[in-house]
Amino acid sequence: MTVTVRDADGAGRFEAWSDGTLAGFAEYLRSDGLVVYPHTVVEPAYEGQGVGGALARAALDDARARGLAVLATCPFIKGWMLRHPEYVDLAYENRSRVSD
């Protein structure tokens, strides 16, 4: 199975396609300096076939290319980052020094 991932910018998500069929997507919200990945969906017929990983890699590679920190509120993207230490440097860190 060949999976192609593309940025559906107008929809605010990366889409994974296999043989003309939408296999999954990873939603995003971009702002200056930050991208949030709130939700990832892989269609049941494509689970366990690397679709989620392809989405995560494409989304994170895009964030790196744009110089964006990543706030992964999606458990799948967050877990994928932790299992792939080459992407951990992208994780958003709150640097606020505010205290009560």
Side-chain angles (χ1 to χ4, degrees), residues 3-93:
V3 175
T4 303
V5 177
R6 60 181 175 233
D7 184 356
D9 189 34
R13 67 188 198 177
F14 286 92
E15 296 177 342
W17 291 84
S18 178
D19 298 323
T21 302
L22 182 64
F25 60 88
E27 296 174 341
Y28 62 79
L29 301 163
R30 283 189 196 127
S31 65
D32 292 337
L34 180 70
V35 61
V36 179
Y37 295 113
H39 188 61
T40 302
V41 171
V42 174
E43 295 299 327
Y46 296 94
E47 289 179 359
Q49 298 181 46
V51 172
L55 284 164
R57 185 176 304 280
L60 295 169
D61 285 346
D62 180 77
R64 186 179 306 283
R66 293 173 186 269
L68 301 175
V70 172
L71 178 56
T73 59
C74 169
F76 179 81
I77 299 286
K78 183 176 182 175
W80 197 91
M81 287 177 75
L82 292 173
R83 289 188 307 277
H84 295 85
E86 65 272 26
Y87 290 97
V88 172
D89 65 302
L90 294 173
Y92 170 78
E93 293 182 36

